[in-house]
């Protein structure tokens, strides 16, 4: 059986996968192994797992996989060792997203494999030919948009599921066979290793500097994101939804417009203009389609010669202008899949905030506390600060410093917040960016800068200056690894601390 023969009824799944390498045993790597193990002796001749560094969890999983017939090796030379055992090379490699393309580990796998792709790509290939994919990427907002899109589509009666970084790995959902519409959150890491991946709707939210240590340059990061659009011309009726308020994405909108409909091969819907989300790109530059907020805050999408109203931004349960943008992206995507505008509006209204994303988490002595622990970069914190136009929050900033430019954060905090509490490993650099030296900070005038050693102390410092009606906002602009294992752990710790202090006040 030739490897080029494809299974009928799937996107691009070879009858014979041959020798397969799985690179890494993170969440997606384990899922790929679980999918492939039952195929040993049939579509798969040999399954090799280059497990990377040893952990208790990876060793336990690897032992079980080996007992079921997989070849497993740990360490830097794992790929070379496995290739020798498997016959010298692999027909297909499936890479976990946490492994940089420039690492020796990844390069060894690429050299040993006829093709090396991401788990997202592999899942798309294995999925049913008539399944539909909505793929969402961007520096910020991906998770909310995916959760909101899955909520709207499922509410409209479609068998939709949020997959990828937001939920189960894509290949788990494909293997389960219960999904007709995959709403996939895809990162730049995953997109960098795609080849044929072609969603029916591609949503590109924004591109700002992030993960530069992984991609090595902003240009490489940008180009990985833009790979989401690469194969749309081959998908009948494909639509790209593009945030034209973002400078980098707007440049891509201009490029697509210059290609013309025939040169481009798919439709695109620009959201807003350089002036903001209220701009209509049809009026601005003659675009065929557009998504925007009109003067009274109505979400409007013009697509395929029809104009749709998808409710009002003010009726959403999720706060902030960024969530109006997220809802507009979801409305455009759902309408592109044929969902009725009234259904879109109804299910946008019923969606509640996600955990760790400007999540209300209680009050302490009348001060409202919000958990935005997912804000691990400056741009995400800028968005959170702008989400409280009627309040000047006390914002908690700090954690594991990414070394990014803090000037925009300082400017926005002084404009929108009444105080900043700088904490954790980043506290001294953050405080210095505000012009504060020493450990105590300054408290006075229209804006206060305080310092604290850890998250708990930061919350207490904020509550000490908060009054009834104030907002205390954890939106750190940093990773969590100085004190916590993940942003989720940090956010849950913050919520527990808020609950403790609330109970103490009420006692």
């Amino acid at each position: 059986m030739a490897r080029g023969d494809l299974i009928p009824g799937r996107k691009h799944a070879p009858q014979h996968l041959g020798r397969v390498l799985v690179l890494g045993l993170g969440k997606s790597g384990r899922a790929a192994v679980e999918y492939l193990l039952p195929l040993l002796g049939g579509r798969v001749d040999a399954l090799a797992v280059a497990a990377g560094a040893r952990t208790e969890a990876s060793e336990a999983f690897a032992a079980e996989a080996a007992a079921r017939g997989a070849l497993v090796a740990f360490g830097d030379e794992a790929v070379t060792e496995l290739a020798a055992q498997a016959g010298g090379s692999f027909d297909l490699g499936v890479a976990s997203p946490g492994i940089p393309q420039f690492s020796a580990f990844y390069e060894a796998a690429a050299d040993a494999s006829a093709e090396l792709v991401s788990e997202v790509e592999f899942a798309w290939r294995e999925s049913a030919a008539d399944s539909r994919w909505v793929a969402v990427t961007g520096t910020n907002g991906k998770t909310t948009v995916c959760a909101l899109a899955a909520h709207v589509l499922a509410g409209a009666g479609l068998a939709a599921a949020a997959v990828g970084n937001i939920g189960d790995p894509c290949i788990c959902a494909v293997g389960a066979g219960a999904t007709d519409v995959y709403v996939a959150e895809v990162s730049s890491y995953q997109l960098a290793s795609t080849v044929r991946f072609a969603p029916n709707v591609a949503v590109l939210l924004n591109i700002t500097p992030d993960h530069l240590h992984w991609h090595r340059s902003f240009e490489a990061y940008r180009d990985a994101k833009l790979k989401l659009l690469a194969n749309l011309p081959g998908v009948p009726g494909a639509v790209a939804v593009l945030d034209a308020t973002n400078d980098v994405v707007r440049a891509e909108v201009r490029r697509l417009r210059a290609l013309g409909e025939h040169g481009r091969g798919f439709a695109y819907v620009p959201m807003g203009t350089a002036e903001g989300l209220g701009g209509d790109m049809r009026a601005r530059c003659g675009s065929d389609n557009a998504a925007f907020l009109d003067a009274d805050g109505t979400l409007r999408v013009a697509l395929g010669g029809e104009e749709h109203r998808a409710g009002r931004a003010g009726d959403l349960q999720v706060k902030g202008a960024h969530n109006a943008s997220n809802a507009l992206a979801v409305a455009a995507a759902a309408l592109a899949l044929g969902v009725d505008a009234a259904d879109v509006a109804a299910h946008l209204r019923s969606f509640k905030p996600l955990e760790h994303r400007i999540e209300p988490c209680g009050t302490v002595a009348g001060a409202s506390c919000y958990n935005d622990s997912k804000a691990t970069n400056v741009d995400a914190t800028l968005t959170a600060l702008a989400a409280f136009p009627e309040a000047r929050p006390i914002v908690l900033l700090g954690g594991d410093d990414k070394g990014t430019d803090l000037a925009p954060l300082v400017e926005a905090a002084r404009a929108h917040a009444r105080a900043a509490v700088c904490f954790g490993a980043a506290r001294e650099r953050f405080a210095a960016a505000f012009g504060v030296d020493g450990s105590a900070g300054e408290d006075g005038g229209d804006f206060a800068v305080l310092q604290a050693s850890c998250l708990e102390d930061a919350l207490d410092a904020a509550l000490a200056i908060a009054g009834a009606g104030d907002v205390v906002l954890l939106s750190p602009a940093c990773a969590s690894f100085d004190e916590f294992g993940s942003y989720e752990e940090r956010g849950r710790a913050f919520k527990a601390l808020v609950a403790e202090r609330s109970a103490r006040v009420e006692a």
Side-chain angles (χ1 to χ4, degrees):
M1 185 186 299
R3 187 174 183 275
D5 295 339
L6 300 177
I7 297 175
R10 299 201 196 177
K11 298 287 190 191
H12 193 88
Q15 298 268 10
H16 183 221
L17 291 166
R19 296 183 299 273
V20 182
L21 169 70
V22 174
L23 192 67
L25 272 185
K27 184 178 178 182
S28 64
R30 293 194 302 272
V33 171
E34 289 286 5
Y35 182 86
L36 289 161
L37 277 169
L39 305 181
L40 271 170
R43 294 178 65 200
V44 175
D45 295 333
L47 174 59
V49 182
R54 290 181 182 273
T55 66
E56 185 176 343
S58 67
E59 286 187 331
F61 183 90
E64 181 182 348
R68 295 170 62 186
L71 306 172
V72 180
F74 287 88
D76 295 340
E77 301 301 318
V79 173
T80 301
E81 178 184 335
L82 290 166
Q85 294 180 54
S89 65
F90 302 98
D91 299 293
L92 176 69
V94 180
S96 295
I99 302 169
Q101 283 184 297
F102 302 105
S103 68
F105 196 43
Y106 187 99
E107 289 177 349
D111 289 343
S113 306
E115 189 175 35
L116 182 60
V117 302
S118 67
E119 175 262 330
V120 170
E121 167 92 16
F122 179 55
W124 176 85
R125 294 182 182 189
E126 294 287 306
S127 66
D130 59 356
S131 66
R132 293 183 289 177
W133 287 69
V134 178
V136 181
T137 198
T139 304
N140 294 303
K142 299 184 293 296
T143 299
T144 297
V145 168
C146 283
L148 181 51
H151 175 81
V152 168
L153 295 173
L158 299 176
V163 297
N165 290 347
I166 183 176
D168 289 334
C170 299
I171 194 63
C172 287
V174 169
T179 301
D180 294 330
V181 182
Y182 299 90
V183 183
E185 178 185 337
V186 289
S187 69
S188 57
Y189 301 170
Q190 293 162 319
L191 288 169
S193 296
T194 55
V195 179
R196 298 177 181 273
F197 180 58
N200 302 81
V201 180
V203 181
L204 181 54
L205 298 172
N206 47 68
I207 302 177
T208 58
D210 201 9
H211 302 305
L212 302 189
H213 63 289
W214 198 95
H215 292 281
R216 294 193 174 181
S217 72
F218 175 70
E219 290 74 20
Y221 172 66
R222 174 202 64 202
D223 291 347
K225 293 287 191 188
L226 293 177
K227 283 187 76 175
L228 183 64
L229 310 179
N231 298 317
L232 295 190
V235 181
V239 175
V241 179
L242 308 169
D243 181 2
T245 69
N246 175 265
D247 292 345
V248 179
V249 178
R250 192 168 59 256
E252 180 66 7
V253 170
R254 288 195 296 267
R255 187 188 73 83
L256 292 174
R257 181 172 180 269
L259 290 173
E261 181 179 355
H262 296 296
R264 189 173 57 247
F266 60 91
Y268 70 96
V269 183
M271 293 169 40
T273 65
E275 284 69 43
L277 206 58
D280 182 344
M281 196 64 90
R282 294 174 301 173
R284 177 64 184 267
C285 69
S287 172
D288 293 333
N289 307 304
F292 57 96
L293 288 182
D294 68 14
D296 72 351
T298 297
L299 305 167
R300 295 177 64 177
V301 179
L303 176 62
E306 295 186 43
E307 191 158 318
H308 309 271
R309 290 171 173 80
R312 297 183 64 255
D315 295 333
L316 300 172
Q317 295 187 55
V318 285
K319 294 178 64 69
H322 68 294
N323 277 318
S325 178
N326 292 339
L328 193 58
V330 169
L335 290 163
L337 291 179
V339 178
D340 181 76
D343 277 344
V344 174
H347 298 298
L348 287 176
R349 286 194 302 271
S350 65
F351 182 76
K352 296 179 180 179
L354 295 178
E355 190 177 20
H356 312 305
R357 292 160 178 82
I358 318 184
E359 175 196 9
C361 58
T363 61
V364 180
S368 298
C369 299
Y370 287 83
N371 164 31
D372 192 40
S373 183
K374 178 65 171 65
T376 59
N377 57 50
V378 166
D379 282 328
T381 300
L382 299 183
T383 296
L385 288 170
F388 296 90
E390 298 176 2
R392 290 176 64 83
I394 302 165
V395 60
L396 278 55
L397 302 170
D400 185 20
D401 196 347
K402 289 187 172 182
T404 50
D405 180 16
L406 299 180
L409 178 62
V410 170
E411 180 181 358
R414 290 191 179 277
H416 296 289
R418 80 172 184 87
V421 183
C422 305
F423 72 94
R427 69 185 181 277
E428 291 183 5
R429 190 172 85 92
F430 274 53
F434 283 103
V436 175
D437 295 320
S439 61
E442 62 181 26
D443 187 357
D446 293 334
F447 186 80
V449 180
L450 307 174
Q451 293 189 57
S453 61
C454 62
L455 177 62
E456 182 172 7
D457 291 347
L459 174 60
D460 288 339
L463 292 173
I465 62 171
D470 278 338
V471 168
V472 175
L473 170 66
L474 171 66
S475 189
C478 284
S480 60
F481 304 122
D482 61 330
E483 192 176 352
F484 302 99
S486 65
Y487 75 80
E488 294 97 337
E489 182 184 343
R490 176 173 61 189
R492 288 170 189 146
F494 179 74
K495 291 193 291 184
L497 292 168
V498 169
E500 287 175 11
R501 280 140 184 81
S502 180
R504 191 182 303 163
V505 169
E506 293 174 1

